[in-house]
mmCIF file of all heavy atoms in Angstrom:
data_model
loop_
_atom_site.group_PDB
_atom_site.id
_atom_site.type_symbol
_atom_site.label_atom_id
_atom_site.label_comp_id
_atom_site.label_asym_id
_atom_site.label_seq_id
_atom_site.Cartn_x
_atom_site.Cartn_y
_atom_site.Cartn_z
ATOM 1 N N SER A 132 -9.576 -81.318 80.993
ATOM 2 C CA SER A 132 -9.709 -80.528 79.761
ATOM 3 C C SER A 132 -8.919 -79.239 79.900
ATOM 4 O O SER A 132 -8.597 -78.792 81.002
ATOM 5 C CB SER A 132 -11.181 -80.216 79.489
ATOM 6 O OG SER A 132 -11.716 -79.419 80.543
ATOM 7 N N GLU A 133 -8.608 -78.652 78.772
ATOM 8 C CA GLU A 133 -7.807 -77.421 78.759
ATOM 9 C C GLU A 133 -8.630 -76.206 78.350
ATOM 10 O O GLU A 133 -8.076 -75.169 78.009
ATOM 11 C CB GLU A 133 -6.624 -77.605 77.804
ATOM 12 C CG GLU A 133 -5.687 -78.736 78.220
ATOM 13 C CD GLU A 133 -4.542 -78.938 77.244
ATOM 14 O OE1 GLU A 133 -4.539 -78.249 76.201
ATOM 15 O OE2 GLU A 133 -3.666 -79.769 77.515
ATOM 16 N N ASN A 134 -9.972 -76.343 78.382
ATOM 17 C CA ASN A 134 -10.822 -75.206 77.980
ATOM 18 C C ASN A 134 -11.403 -74.476 79.179
ATOM 19 O O ASN A 134 -12.338 -73.693 79.038
ATOM 20 C CB ASN A 134 -11.954 -75.695 77.073
ATOM 21 C CG ASN A 134 -12.778 -76.810 77.699
ATOM 22 O OD1 ASN A 134 -12.583 -77.132 78.867
ATOM 23 N ND2 ASN A 134 -13.670 -77.395 76.923
ATOM 24 N N GLY A 135 -10.873 -74.741 80.386
ATOM 25 C CA GLY A 135 -11.322 -74.001 81.561
ATOM 26 C C GLY A 135 -12.655 -74.451 82.101
ATOM 27 O O GLY A 135 -13.285 -73.712 82.875
ATOM 28 N N THR A 136 -13.132 -75.666 81.737
ATOM 29 C CA THR A 136 -14.407 -76.174 82.226
ATOM 30 C C THR A 136 -14.162 -77.423 83.068
ATOM 31 O O THR A 136 -13.029 -77.848 83.264
ATOM 32 C CB THR A 136 -15.330 -76.533 81.045
ATOM 33 O OG1 THR A 136 -14.802 -77.682 80.368
ATOM 34 C CG2 THR A 136 -15.414 -75.366 80.055
ATOM 35 N N TYR A 137 -15.274 -78.021 83.520
ATOM 36 C CA TYR A 137 -15.182 -79.250 84.306
ATOM 37 C C TYR A 137 -15.135 -80.493 83.427
ATOM 38 O O TYR A 137 -15.191 -81.611 83.942
ATOM 39 C CB TYR A 137 -16.374 -79.354 85.258
ATOM 40 C CG TYR A 137 -16.284 -78.435 86.451
ATOM 41 C CD1 TYR A 137 -17.008 -77.241 86.494
ATOM 42 C CD2 TYR A 137 -15.475 -78.738 87.537
ATOM 43 C CE1 TYR A 137 -16.934 -76.393 87.591
ATOM 44 C CE2 TYR A 137 -15.392 -77.903 88.640
ATOM 45 C CZ TYR A 137 -16.126 -76.728 88.654
ATOM 46 O OH TYR A 137 -16.036 -75.887 89.741
ATOM 47 N N ASN A 138 -15.052 -80.341 82.131
ATOM 48 C CA ASN A 138 -15.010 -81.491 81.240
ATOM 49 C C ASN A 138 -13.724 -82.293 81.430
ATOM 50 O O ASN A 138 -12.663 -81.739 81.734
ATOM 51 C CB ASN A 138 -15.107 -81.046 79.782
ATOM 52 C CG ASN A 138 -16.508 -80.580 79.431
ATOM 53 O OD1 ASN A 138 -17.479 -81.017 80.045
ATOM 54 N ND2 ASN A 138 -16.630 -79.692 78.459
ATOM 55 N N MET A 318 -7.039 -71.018 86.947
ATOM 56 C CA MET A 318 -8.236 -71.170 86.107
ATOM 57 C C MET A 318 -8.153 -72.337 85.136
ATOM 58 O O MET A 318 -8.736 -72.293 84.054
ATOM 59 C CB MET A 318 -8.522 -69.860 85.351
ATOM 60 C CG MET A 318 -8.827 -68.679 86.259
ATOM 61 S SD MET A 318 -10.118 -69.045 87.492
ATOM 62 C CE MET A 318 -11.530 -69.285 86.433
ATOM 63 N N ASN A 319 -7.428 -73.378 85.499
ATOM 64 C CA ASN A 319 -7.427 -74.634 84.751
ATOM 65 C C ASN A 319 -7.977 -75.743 85.631
ATOM 66 O O ASN A 319 -7.880 -75.686 86.854
ATOM 67 C CB ASN A 319 -6.011 -74.994 84.279
ATOM 68 C CG ASN A 319 -5.564 -74.146 83.107
ATOM 69 O OD1 ASN A 319 -6.376 -73.644 82.339
ATOM 70 N ND2 ASN A 319 -4.266 -73.978 82.970
ATOM 71 N N PRO A 380 -15.763 -71.986 85.777
ATOM 72 C CA PRO A 380 -15.505 -71.644 84.371
ATOM 73 C C PRO A 380 -16.098 -70.290 84.021
ATOM 74 O O PRO A 380 -17.157 -69.909 84.535
ATOM 75 C CB PRO A 380 -16.213 -72.767 83.603
ATOM 76 C CG PRO A 380 -16.312 -73.892 84.562
ATOM 77 C CD PRO A 380 -16.461 -73.263 85.911
ATOM 78 N N PRO A 381 -15.429 -69.532 83.148
ATOM 79 C CA PRO A 381 -15.999 -68.264 82.683
ATOM 80 C C PRO A 381 -17.372 -68.488 82.061
ATOM 81 O O PRO A 381 -17.634 -69.506 81.424
ATOM 82 C CB PRO A 381 -14.991 -67.775 81.643
ATOM 83 C CG PRO A 381 -13.721 -68.483 81.987
ATOM 84 C CD PRO A 381 -14.118 -69.801 82.557
ATOM 85 N N VAL A 384 -17.428 -69.256 78.297
ATOM 86 C CA VAL A 384 -16.993 -70.609 77.958
ATOM 87 C C VAL A 384 -18.071 -71.616 78.315
ATOM 88 O O VAL A 384 -18.363 -72.545 77.559
ATOM 89 C CB VAL A 384 -15.677 -70.950 78.686
ATOM 90 C CG1 VAL A 384 -15.277 -72.396 78.418
ATOM 91 C CG2 VAL A 384 -14.573 -70.000 78.244
ATOM 92 N N ILE A 388 -20.363 -74.327 75.629
ATOM 93 C CA ILE A 388 -20.435 -75.782 75.686
ATOM 94 C C ILE A 388 -21.693 -76.261 76.404
ATOM 95 O O ILE A 388 -21.828 -77.428 76.746
ATOM 96 C CB ILE A 388 -19.200 -76.352 76.400
ATOM 97 C CG1 ILE A 388 -19.137 -75.856 77.840
ATOM 98 C CG2 ILE A 388 -17.933 -76.007 75.664
ATOM 99 C CD1 ILE A 388 -18.046 -76.511 78.640
ATOM 100 N N ILE A 465 -15.378 -85.739 77.336
ATOM 101 C CA ILE A 465 -15.321 -85.267 75.959
ATOM 102 C C ILE A 465 -14.161 -85.963 75.278
ATOM 103 O O ILE A 465 -13.284 -86.557 75.921
ATOM 104 C CB ILE A 465 -15.117 -83.733 75.867
ATOM 105 C CG1 ILE A 465 -13.816 -83.329 76.557
ATOM 106 C CG2 ILE A 465 -16.306 -83.001 76.449
ATOM 107 C CD1 ILE A 465 -13.472 -81.851 76.380
ATOM 108 N N GLY A 469 -11.931 -81.940 71.784
ATOM 109 C CA GLY A 469 -13.288 -81.462 71.855
ATOM 110 C C GLY A 469 -13.425 -80.222 72.717
ATOM 111 O O GLY A 469 -12.538 -79.798 73.400
#
Side-chain angles (χ1 to χ4, degrees):
S132 63
E133 299 178 355
N134 55 7
T136 69
Y137 285 102
N138 287 333
M318 298 309 294
N319 285 334
V384 176
I388 62 173
I465 59 174

